[in-house]
Amino acid sequence: MMAGTALLLLNPGARKAGGGRVEIADALRERGLAVIAESLGDPAGLDHRIARHVRTVDRVIVGGGDGTLGAAARPVLDAGLCLGILPLGTANNVARTLGIPEDLDVACDIAAGETRRRIDVGVVNDRCFLTTASFGLSVAITESLSRKAKRRWGTLAYVLTAARVVRNAHPVRAHIRWVGGELHTRTVQVVVGNGRYYGSALQVAEDAEIDDHALDLYSIEVRHWWQLLTLGPALKRGSHGRRRAVQTARARAFEISTAVPVVIDADGELATHTPATFRVLPGALEVLAPPEPPRD
C-alpha cells in the first residue's frame, strides 16, 4: 500500500456537492494524494465497497452531510482506516465539532494532510452515530424535513420545520437507566449526544466533546408546546441543562425503554426504535482534522 492513497466517496445529493467527484478528486490529487473516486451509492453497500479497497488505501474521504458520515462510520471503523471529511451537507455538525470549515479548499487540505485525531463513536442498538441519536421532536422534524427544503434553505429548513411540528408534540413515557442512576420521564424529546453539535447547530451540552469517552443525554419535559419556544436560545448555547424542564445525564451507556416503541434517528436519519441501548466506543475512530485546540 502506498502512503497517501484515498478512496473518495461523494454523496451526489449533498447540498454543496457542486460539480461532483471528478473536480473534488482533482483537487485532492493536486494536494499529493492518489485518489480512487467512486459514487457513494447505496449506504447499505458501503461496507463491501470500502472492504474492497482496504489493502490499497490509507484513508476514506467522505463528502456529504452528517447522515452520510454516520453511515460511513461503521465500515471505516471495521476496515481500520482513517476518515477524511468534506462537509458538503446542510448542517455539517461533525465538521463543526472537529473544526473543519465548510470552505472546500481548506477541507481538502485537511483531508489530504497527516494531522490525525481519535474520536469517540456512539452506537444505538447496532447503528453507529457521530453527532446524536434521539427520539421525539427530532424524529418528527426528520420525517417532515424534505430533501428539497434542505437543499434550498439549508439550516433554516430545520428551524422552519421545527416551528411547524412543535404544536403537535406528544409526550412519551420513558424509563432511562445508566450506571449510578435512572430517570422516569414524560418527555417530548430525548437526545443522546456523542459530539457537541446537532440539528441547526444546537448544542447537546456546553461542555460536550467528541473525545471525552462519554455520552451526554437530555430529556425535555414540558406540559405545553409554547414552553418549548422558551428553550430555543438555551439549546443554541448548550445551557438548557440549567432549566427546570430539562433533565440531563452523562454516562458511557444508557438503556431506554418506552411505554410504546418509538422511532429513533441517528445523525438525522431514521435508524432504529426503542427499546434501545446507547453506548460509546471511546477513541474508536481516527479522523483527519485540524490540530486539537488546547482545553482549559
Side-chain angles (χ1 to χ4, degrees):
M1 179 184 71
M2 63 180 290
T5 304
L7 173 61
L8 172 65
L9 299 173
L10 179 68
N11 181 358
R15 183 169 182 258
K16 301 172 184 174
R21 71 177 186 269
V22 173
E23 290 80 0
I24 293 175
D26 287 345
L28 292 168
R29 291 186 182 106
E30 288 171 2
R31 288 158 172 80
L33 280 184
V35 178
I36 302 168
E38 295 190 5
S39 177
L40 185 70
D42 182 1
L46 272 176
D47 52 347
H48 301 296
R49 191 172 300 121
I50 291 172
R52 195 165 65 238
H53 296 286
V54 70
R55 297 183 181 278
T56 56
V57 305
D58 72 320
R59 69 193 69 192
V60 177
I61 300 176
V62 177
D66 295 324
T68 302
L69 292 169
R74 172 68 75 181
V76 172
L77 182 60
D78 289 346
L81 294 170
C82 186
L83 176 66
I85 297 169
L86 302 180
L88 304 179
T90 303
N92 300 313
N93 287 304
V94 177
R96 180 178 286 106
T97 296
L98 292 170
I100 299 171
E102 294 189 4
D103 183 300
L104 190 56
D105 283 337
V106 180
C108 283
D109 288 341
I110 295 168
E114 291 299 331
T115 302
R116 305 187 179 205
R117 177 178 172 185
R118 289 211 157 268
I119 64 171
D120 303 335
V121 175
V123 180
V124 54
N125 291 341
D126 61 350
R127 168 67 184 266
C128 287
F129 63 94
L130 298 178
T131 58
T132 61
S134 58
F135 63 85
L137 278 173
S138 58
V139 169
I141 292 169
T142 296
E143 291 177 326
S144 301
L145 187 59
S146 71
R147 189 173 299 275
K148 181 179 179 181
K150 287 169 69 174
R151 289 183 68 89
R152 181 174 183 182
W153 299 107
T155 55
L156 180 59
Y158 287 93
V159 178
L160 296 174
T161 304
R164 232 178 22 246
V165 304
V166 106
R167 286 176 174 267
N168 299 316
H170 296 294
V172 173
R173 294 191 181 277
H175 182 202
I176 305 170
R177 299 176 297 278
W178 64 95
V179 173
E182 66 175 338
L183 173 65
H184 291 273
T185 179
R186 190 169 179 268
T187 181
V188 296
Q189 169 89 331
V190 170
V191 173
V192 179
N194 176 54
R196 178 173 296 185
Y197 298 101
Y198 71 104
S200 56
L202 304 178
Q203 294 191 49
V204 178
E206 54 193 341
D207 59 347
E209 300 289 350
I210 203 167
D211 57 359
D212 59 7
H213 300 180
L215 299 174
D216 288 276
L217 175 147
Y218 76 79
S219 172
I220 297 178
E221 305 167 347
V222 294
R223 292 181 179 273
H224 306 287
W225 68 265
W226 52 263
Q227 293 174 291
L228 290 166
L229 303 180
T230 68
L231 288 173
L235 287 166
K236 199 74 173 175
R237 294 191 300 268
S239 60
H240 46 279
R242 304 172 197 168
R243 300 294 188 91
R244 293 178 61 182
V246 180
Q247 301 289 332
T248 65
R250 176 171 289 172
R252 287 202 169 199
F254 295 97
E255 297 280 345
I256 302 182
S257 58
T258 51
V260 296
V262 295
V263 176
I264 297 171
D265 71 14
D267 290 321
E269 304 288 337
L270 303 183
T272 184
H273 57 77
T274 58
T277 298
F278 300 74
R279 58 194 175 94
V280 67
L281 304 178
L285 183 64
E286 190 175 47
V287 296
L288 291 145
E292 186 179 358
R295 297 180 187 172
D296 295 334

